[in-house]
């Protein structure tokens, strides 16, 4: 399976702290994407990083990609209570995206 | 930002009934996908669709499932005879290119009773 696997499965932090989530995958990829899902809602695309990129920033988000280790990390800086959600990584392979199981982030006000 | 639209947002159906979940992808997109998420579980791939045919499907996508792009704008997922275990959130997605980000709809919550 090429599914991404995130860790930790659950993360609870205080507002203002940074949150780091990791994703590992098994085979070569074209790109890796991070998505967010609020409970019971749709998936929202956060950021895409291509296989030839090592780091990308978007606002309070920072994504790194290490293709030699087949891993990626998502860092949310200065977290807010509104960041509470599940975060998924997704890798593309053939005609589909493979989603990981997600990290459930709780930001305590 | 362009949006993928799914209707209905919530559908309740009796076991054994047929359901059609509807999606309007972004107008110039060429690749279409259906995913599902059983409550509390990971998002699972069902099927991808390109050039008016299925390009890939998972083992979940058995003979009870079918997809169609009936009029060039809608993209539908039909479940012929629903089972209790089909209860899930179903997400439609589209992309303009296979390697570019996919845009997801807000999902249809299907409840089979």
């Amino acid at each position: 399976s090429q599914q991404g696997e995130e860790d930790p499965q659950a993360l609870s932090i205080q507002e203002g702290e940074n949150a780091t989530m990791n994703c590992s995958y098994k085979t070569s990829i074209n790109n890796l994407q991070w998505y967010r899902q609020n409970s019971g809602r749709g998936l929202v695309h956060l950021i895409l990083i291509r296989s030839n990129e090592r780091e990308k920033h978007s606002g309070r988000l920072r994504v790194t990609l290490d293709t030699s280790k087949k891993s990626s990390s998502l860092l949310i800086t200065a977290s807010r209570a509104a960041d509470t959600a599940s975060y998924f990584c997704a890798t593309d392979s053939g005609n589909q995206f493979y989603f990981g199981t997600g990290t459930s982030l709780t930001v305590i006000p | 930002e362009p949006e993928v639209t799914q209707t209905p947002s919530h559908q309740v159906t009796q076991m054994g009934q047929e359901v059609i979940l509807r999606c309007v992808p972004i107008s110039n997109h060429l690749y279409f996908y259906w995913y599902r998420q059983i409550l509390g579980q990971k998002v699972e791939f069902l099927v991808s669709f390109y050039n008016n045919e299925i390009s890939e499907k998972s083992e979940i996508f058995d003979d009870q499932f079918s997809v169609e792009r009936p009029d060039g704008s809608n993209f539908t997922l039909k479940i012929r005879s629903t089972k209790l275990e089909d209860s899930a959130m179903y997400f439609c997605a589209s992309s303009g290119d296979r390697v570019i980000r996919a845009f997801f709809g807000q999902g249809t919550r299907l409840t089979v009773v």
Side-chain angles (χ1 to χ4, degrees):
Chain A
S1 164
Q2 188 177 322
Q3 285 180 330
E5 297 293 332
E6 290 93 339
D7 80 271
Q9 291 187 352
L11 180 62
S12 183
I13 59 173
Q14 294 290 328
E15 198 165 34
E17 293 180 338
N18 295 341
T20 301
M21 290 160 269
N22 302 296
C23 168
S24 60
Y25 56 93
K26 295 183 179 177
T27 64
S28 60
I29 60 171
N30 293 321
N31 64 65
L32 184 144
Q33 305 179 43
W34 284 91
Y35 288 83
R36 165 198 168 118
Q37 184 185 31
N38 285 42
S39 181
R41 305 291 298 278
L43 291 156
V44 175
H45 180 266
L46 296 176
I47 199 164
L48 180 153
I49 187 166
R50 298 184 190 277
S51 60
N52 61 353
E53 297 176 306
R54 292 295 168 257
E55 187 170 312
K56 205 160 182 180
H57 296 254
S58 176
R60 292 184 297 113
L61 305 179
R62 173 176 166 252
V63 169
T64 62
L65 179 65
D66 187 337
T67 51
S68 65
K69 295 181 179 176
K70 293 186 168 53
S71 68
S72 172
S73 68
L74 171 67
L75 168 68
I76 304 174
T77 60
S79 64
R80 305 167 183 166
D83 294 329
T84 295
S86 292
Y87 292 82
F88 295 86
C89 69
T91 56
D92 85 323
S93 171
N95 296 305
Q96 62 180 280
F97 299 102
Y98 287 93
F99 282 91
T101 50
T103 292
S104 177
L105 174 66
T106 302
V107 181
I108 303 165
Chain B
E1 182 170 86
E3 284 186 341
V4 173
T5 306
Q6 288 186 242
T7 55
S9 56
H10 189 190
Q11 179 149 4
V12 181
T13 189
Q14 288 205 321
M15 192 169 56
Q17 294 295 306
E18 174 184 284
V19 293
I20 297 176
L21 309 183
R22 301 181 192 281
C23 170
V24 179
I26 293 168
S27 61
N28 60 345
H29 281 183
L30 302 174
Y31 295 83
F32 312 107
Y33 312 84
W34 282 102
Y35 291 82
R36 80 173 185 189
Q37 186 183 31
I38 294 171
L39 186 65
Q41 299 186 25
K42 64 180 185 284
V43 178
E44 299 174 295
F45 168 75
L46 293 178
V47 65
S48 59
F49 192 87
Y50 171 72
N51 201 26
N52 287 319
E53 59 183 27
I54 291 173
S55 37
E56 193 162 353
K57 60 182 180 180
S58 73
E59 58 200 25
I60 302 169
F61 194 88
D62 61 21
D63 291 345
Q64 292 299 310
F65 291 87
S66 62
V67 289
E68 197 176 34
R69 191 156 158 78
D71 55 12
S73 61
N74 291 287
F75 180 51
T76 61
L77 173 69
K78 181 193 290 186
I79 309 175
R80 289 191 183 81
S81 178
T82 51
K83 303 186 270 269
L84 294 176
E85 54 264 37
D86 293 327
S87 295
M89 184 79 102
Y90 288 80
F91 293 103
C92 170
S94 70
S95 64
D97 184 292
R98 186 177 62 76
V99 297
I100 304 299
R101 60 168 283 198
F103 290 74
F104 281 81
Q106 287 299 302
T108 293
R109 182 174 297 284
L110 176 66
T111 303
V112 182
V113 297

